[in-house]
Amino acid sequence: MPFESKIKTIEWLGESVKMIDQTKIPYSFETIELTKCEEVAEAIKVMIVRGAPAIGIAGAHGVTLAAIELSKKEKDKKTFLLKLKERAEFLKSTRPTAVNLMWAVDKQIEAAESYGGDDIDGVVEVLKKNGVMLENQDVEINKKIGDFGAAIIPEGATILTHCNAGALATVGYGTALGVVRSAYAKDNTIRVFADETRPRQQGARLTTFELIEDGIPTTLITDGMCGYFMKNHMIDVVVVGADRIAANGDTANKIGTYTVALVAKAHNIPFYIAAPLSTIDISIKNGDEIPIEERGREEVTHINGKTICHPDVNIINPAFDVTPNEYISGIITEVGILRPDYKNSIADAMKKM
Ligand code: MRU
């Protein structure tokens, strides 16, 4: 059975949420079960669960866990909803760039508010159901992205990807790696080059893990090598995921993506984003308005707990960068491939959400 269908990255179990601990891969494969909203918030922060769609679903289940806890103390529905919204804001503050987190948490709050009854238990039930719906919908959406994306992969192509936009970054199947999976199902001569993706090495640790487990030929390269391989005609197409796409198509994704896009443009190599519509933030006009998460110094100064530099060196650690829309050949979504002019194609696609 393929890796991506063996286990969900994140799964609601009725009264708790189970997730793969991604900090342990590839050294071990472990899952954890969480019963408190605060535990989910911490799991998102320390990246036990990561990837824009996966943290969205984690956030959604985090709201349900908060509701279960609050329902044991609060009898007044108005106070209950007020406190639930506070917890929702707390969940949303854990990682600022990936808009799927805000989207999914807000979906839960909308569901809670639209419940007509006076009983708090009824709200809890609505949240459980809605969370599971969002969880299942994520996999369906990724399969649609995969099918649309497979059509733009040339026969026998070598696809470069950055970071991990795979089954591990979603509930299952993946966005960029969903495209890879669907393309490989049609043509098993395609190949993947995976950027290592410093500082946290999601490409090396997670992308190679899930693709090799699924038997998809994958070559690991370090981040600085992409220019060499593009210049030497060894990459045919780039497909990456996204954390937030502005209304004009400017796209935030893992740090280093912008560099890949620039090199791809210089060598006339198509550069695609694969993402669900829930990654698009139409309230943001362009990429300059996307908040970029800054993470701690140890991610840069250390590898596997060992320092790699002078202890007094300065560190700046932005987790994401923004690729301007002119470098993007297309945005592969569940409703089709959006093309420039993105302002129009995005506005049209959002009507189908
Ligand atoms: O910091 P991470 O590991 O959460 O960053 C993940 C990425 O940048 C992914 O490319 C993006 O979230 C899309 S995942 C389908």
Side-chain angles (χ1 to χ4, degrees):
M1 193 195 279
F3 166 78
E4 53 83 16
S5 33
K6 249 190 267 178
I7 184 168
K8 281 179 163 177
T9 296
I10 177 156
E11 186 173 16
W12 181 252
L13 295 183
E15 296 289 318
S16 62
V17 59
K18 183 168 102 175
M19 54 180 83
I20 297 171
D21 183 346
Q22 300 192 39
T23 61
K24 301 274 167 55
I25 298 174
Y27 317 107
S28 63
F29 191 84
E30 295 171 32
T31 57
I32 55 165
E33 206 179 311
L34 308 176
T35 54
K36 292 197 166 66
C37 169
E38 286 69 21
E39 292 172 341
V40 173
E42 189 58 18
I44 297 172
K45 233 183 199 160
V46 303
M47 294 171 70
I48 285 171
V49 62
R50 35 68 48 199
I55 64 174
I57 304 305
H61 294 328
V63 173
T64 311
L65 291 176
I68 293 174
E69 215 182 314
L70 285 169
S71 70
K72 292 175 186 153
K73 303 177 237 167
E74 291 305 330
K75 297 296 155 224
D76 173 49
K77 192 179 161 206
K78 222 168 145 193
T79 321
F80 166 85
L81 283 177
L82 215 71
K83 292 197 171 165
L84 191 65
K85 280 198 228 166
E86 278 170 18
R87 304 280 179 96
E89 289 308 311
F90 171 60
L91 280 162
K92 280 159 61 175
S93 72
T94 51
R95 292 200 75 188
T97 303
V99 77
N100 306 63
L101 174 61
M102 330 311 164
W103 177 85
V105 167
D106 287 345
K107 283 268 163 217
Q108 286 290 64
I109 294 301
E110 270 169 38
E113 285 184 321
S114 60
Y115 175 69
D118 279 336
D119 58 315
I120 287 170
D121 289 346
V123 182
V124 173
E125 285 315 305
V126 164
L127 288 172
K128 284 181 183 175
K129 259 199 206 139
N130 200 53
V132 171
M133 191 272 291
L134 293 171
E135 181 185 302
N136 292 332
Q137 197 185 47
D138 179 74
V139 183
E140 288 161 28
I141 286 172
N142 295 338
K143 292 197 168 156
K144 287 183 189 157
I145 292 173
D147 288 343
F148 282 118
I152 55 94
I153 305 295
E155 199 186 325
T158 298
I159 305 164
L160 175 69
T161 192
H162 189 76
C163 193
N164 173 267
L168 289 164
T170 59
V171 176
Y173 206 70
T175 56
L177 298 192
V179 173
V180 166
R181 286 192 163 93
S182 297
Y184 188 76
K186 292 202 312 200
D187 170 15
N188 67 4
T189 66
I190 66 153
R191 301 280 176 270
V192 174
F193 270 41
D195 277 346
E196 174 193 14
T197 319
R198 274 282 284 154
R200 289 189 69 109
Q201 298 157 304
Q202 291 95 327
R205 293 189 304 105
L206 309 175
T207 294
T208 69
F209 181 84
E210 62 171 274
L211 291 182
I212 300 287
E213 284 292 309
D214 277 357
I216 300 174
T218 304
T219 302
L220 172 65
I221 64 172
T222 63
D223 297 339
M225 292 179 185
C226 77
Y228 174 88
F229 290 111
M230 290 203 211
K231 186 162 185 265
N232 287 299
H233 310 288
M234 291 170 75
I235 307 288
D236 300 295
V237 54
V238 180
V239 186
V240 298
D243 288 85
R244 193 184 298 224
I245 301 171
N248 72 343
D250 292 352
T251 296
N253 190 49
K254 179 55 53 191
I255 192 81
T257 303
Y258 173 45
T259 317
V260 175
L262 283 174
V263 184
K265 183 85 166 180
H267 294 287
N268 261 325
I269 295 168
F271 177 95
Y272 285 93
I273 300 291
L277 294 179
S278 54
T279 305
I280 298 175
D281 182 355
I282 44 160
S283 75
I284 277 191
K285 271 203 267 356
N286 61 54
D288 294 343
E289 295 174 31
I290 300 177
I292 299 295
E293 177 182 7
E294 284 274 346
R295 294 191 63 88
R297 69 178 269 124
E298 285 236 331
E299 290 185 353
V300 180
T301 57
H302 287 63
I303 293 183
N304 280 349
K306 282 206 170 142
T307 182
I308 55 161
C309 56
H310 192 287
D312 297 336
V313 73
N314 288 332
I315 294 297
I316 310 176
N317 184 15
F320 302 95
D321 59 25
V322 175
T323 300
N325 59 12
E326 65 259 36
Y327 296 96
I328 300 169
S329 312
I331 302 173
I332 309 163
T333 73
E334 66 270 36
V335 296
I337 302 178
L338 316 186
R339 302 280 184 182
D341 169 329
Y342 290 115
K343 233 173 131 183
N344 290 327
S345 57
I346 285 178
D348 284 348
M350 294 309 273
K351 288 180 198 147
K352 298 180 192 156
M353 207 176 174

